[in-house]
Amino acid sequence: MPEDAPNPATHDIGGAARFRCTPVEPDDEAPPDAFGKRVDALRQLLAQRGLMTVDELRRGVEAIPEAEYHALGYYERWLRSISGLMLEKGVVKAEDLRP
Amino acid sequence: MTSYTAHFTPGTRIRVKADYPETRGPCHIRTPHYLRGREGVVERPLGAFRNPEDLAFARPAATIPLYHVRFDQKGIWNEGEAGDTVLVELYEHWLEPAA
Amino acid sequence: MAHAPHPENVALLARFTAALAAAGLVTEDQIAEQIARTDRASPRIGAAMVARAWTDAGYHALMLKDGSAAAEAMGISMVGAPPLGVLADAPGLHHLVVCTLCSCYPRAVLGYPPHWYKSAAYRARAVRDPRGVLAEWGTTLPEATQIRVVDSTADYRWMVLPTRPEGTAGWDEARLAALVTRDVLVGTRLPTA
């Protein structure tokens, strides 16, 4: 990477200096809770129905603004991506998702 | 759609393009920022896969050869132990022969 | 640490699921069945593959040539799963798997990834300071061992085939498999007898 390289994207954190002193916690297992498992199942079902690819899932996750990216849990990011994709494709409507 | 032929054989010295598509608008790329412009060695071909940069936007995607490419860690970070390496899957359109 | 989902997102999930159900795309039964299927994958599958590779040269060769076929040979369906690649440790060489861009993980043979694998600290540090990361597991490598960090960036999912530990001559597959934990298959620990 040249000295004058532009900054990496939010998700592109291999080697990122800001995490150098953050410990990795081997005991932090945290298997997915019911929320996470449900989001994961929806992702798989929508992929099986040809409505999305893993690449689109990733693109949707990468589009989350940086502050939120790190504040949201893993499966919260997925939900944000998947629901956004289905909105984009007209599978669901904005009013379906609004509180 | 462009079609690609596998050009690189194991042992070939390559350079990862110093390109930064993330500065040009929405995109999805699988070449980590820390490898842009770096030189490495082709470990082995891994077959060919549809280009994630297009799949991520549900666009028609060409099938592109994928390689396992090995890089010296010290060459990337200027720290760490000599002999330690990183092995990364990279698509052929990101690679050029090292000068 | 992992934290509970924000109530706003719990509510979004409920609305999203309801909209998909109303569109005839998913049912509660299908969701439950999909969760049950995903729950069945666990590191015991990867461990059984490693134990078999340690005792069967033909299977060892198949595993390195085509990890997906090796998983299928254990009765695991790889239909719809990304191709599985297996990288063998050797004297003087140790592999450590990470995904710096997201959290790609060989779920078909290891199950859900642990939280630390998805953490920013692991993703950022494993490629730059692998020995420092291993130290957090208390893992030290034999002298003169090089680390090869595998950044799982694209279409494959990677698993480590560790070296069979000393002192296990004559052990059967079940006993060997018990040495192989999830962390061993990712490369943050070495198996010991």
Side-chain angles (χ1 to χ4, degrees):
Chain A
M1 159 179 64
E3 288 301 316
D4 57 351
N7 289 332
T10 300
H11 67 282
D12 192 350
I13 58 175
R18 66 191 184 283
F19 298 109
R20 291 199 73 167
C21 301
T22 311
V24 181
E25 293 167 35
D27 296 330
D28 190 3
E29 297 277 332
D33 54 15
F35 174 89
K37 288 188 178 188
R38 236 176 129 75
V39 172
D40 183 63
L42 288 179
R43 173 191 68 83
Q44 295 185 67
L45 290 168
L46 293 172
Q48 286 162 22
R49 286 153 182 53
L51 288 168
M52 59 173 284
T53 60
V54 66
D55 310 274
E56 290 174 285
L57 169 73
R58 290 165 170 167
R59 191 247 301 173
V61 168
E62 292 165 11
I64 297 170
E66 177 152 24
E68 283 184 275
Y69 182 90
H70 291 293
L72 292 170
Y74 186 71
Y75 295 101
E76 288 179 291
R77 284 180 217 152
W78 280 21
L79 174 63
R80 195 68 81 77
S81 172
I82 297 166
S83 58
L85 286 169
M86 293 306 116
L87 204 55
E88 188 180 295
K89 291 168 187 255
V91 173
V92 298
K93 296 188 200 66
E95 56 263 34
D96 296 336
L97 303 184
R98 263 197 298 268
Chain B
M1 279 199 290
T2 320
S3 72
Y4 289 81
T5 315
H7 286 103
F8 302 115
T9 50
T12 306
R13 204 161 170 82
I14 57 81
R15 182 172 174 274
V16 180
K17 288 181 184 164
D19 189 22
Y20 299 89
E22 54 271 72
T23 60
R24 300 194 290 270
C27 65
H28 170 73
I29 40 181
R30 301 302 295 176
T31 302
H33 187 274
Y34 70 86
L35 291 176
R36 315 273 175 85
R38 298 295 185 192
E39 286 190 15
V41 175
V42 172
E43 179 94 358
R44 64 179 175 124
L46 292 171
F49 293 87
R50 293 206 289 154
N51 188 351
E53 296 167 18
D54 290 317
L55 287 178
F57 292 89
R59 298 188 293 245
T63 300
I64 302 182
L66 182 71
Y67 299 92
H68 239 173
V69 184
R70 194 177 68 243
F71 299 83
D72 284 331
Q73 291 211 11
K74 280 198 93 157
I76 301 171
W77 309 112
N78 201 24
E79 62 184 46
E81 289 211 18
D84 286 355
T85 51
V86 56
L87 188 63
V88 186
E89 290 153 87
L90 296 171
Y91 296 91
E92 186 169 278
H93 65 293
W94 273 91
L95 308 180
E96 53 199 16
Chain C
M1 285 296 289
H3 58 84
H6 194 279
E8 174 188 298
N9 288 320
V10 174
L12 174 61
L13 176 58
R15 287 193 296 271
F16 182 50
T17 312
L20 293 174
L25 288 167
V26 300
T27 65
E28 278 303 319
D29 283 351
Q30 289 166 344
I31 294 172
E33 191 189 320
Q34 189 65 45
I35 291 173
R37 192 175 309 154
T38 308
D39 278 347
R40 282 198 286 277
S42 91
R44 298 328 307 155
I45 298 169
M49 291 171 68
V50 165
R52 186 165 166 196
W54 281 344
T55 54
D56 174 344
Y59 187 78
H60 186 280
L62 172 67
M63 198 160 154
L64 297 187
K65 182 167 171 278
D66 184 344
S68 297
E72 296 268 10
M74 301 294 278
I76 305 303
S77 169
M78 296 297 280
V79 176
L84 175 67
V86 180
L87 295 161
D89 281 1
L93 178 67
H94 176 68
H95 293 88
L96 175 69
V97 180
V98 63
C99 170
T100 61
L101 296 174
C102 39
S103 313
C104 298
Y105 190 76
R107 292 174 45 148
V109 293
L110 264 69
Y112 293 106
H115 187 255
W116 57 259
Y117 186 86
K118 303 179 285 185
S119 70
Y122 183 75
R123 287 167 50 199
R125 290 179 52 211
V127 282
R128 184 166 184 162
D129 177 25
R131 290 167 190 274
V133 168
L134 289 184
E136 303 203 8
W137 269 259
T139 300
T140 47
L141 300 175
E143 192 132 347
T145 299
Q146 297 176 344
I147 299 187
R148 185 162 295 174
V149 180
V150 182
D151 189 354
S152 187
T153 48
D155 292 273
Y156 278 78
R157 300 294 178 269
W158 300 99
M159 183 176 93
V160 178
L161 171 55
T163 308
R164 181 169 172 167
E166 303 278 335
T168 58
W171 288 27
D172 65 14
E173 282 183 40
R175 198 171 168 202
L176 288 168
L179 303 178
V180 184
T181 61
R182 192 264 328 278
D183 293 354
V184 164
L185 296 164
V186 177
T188 57
R189 279 186 211 276
L190 299 175
T192 49

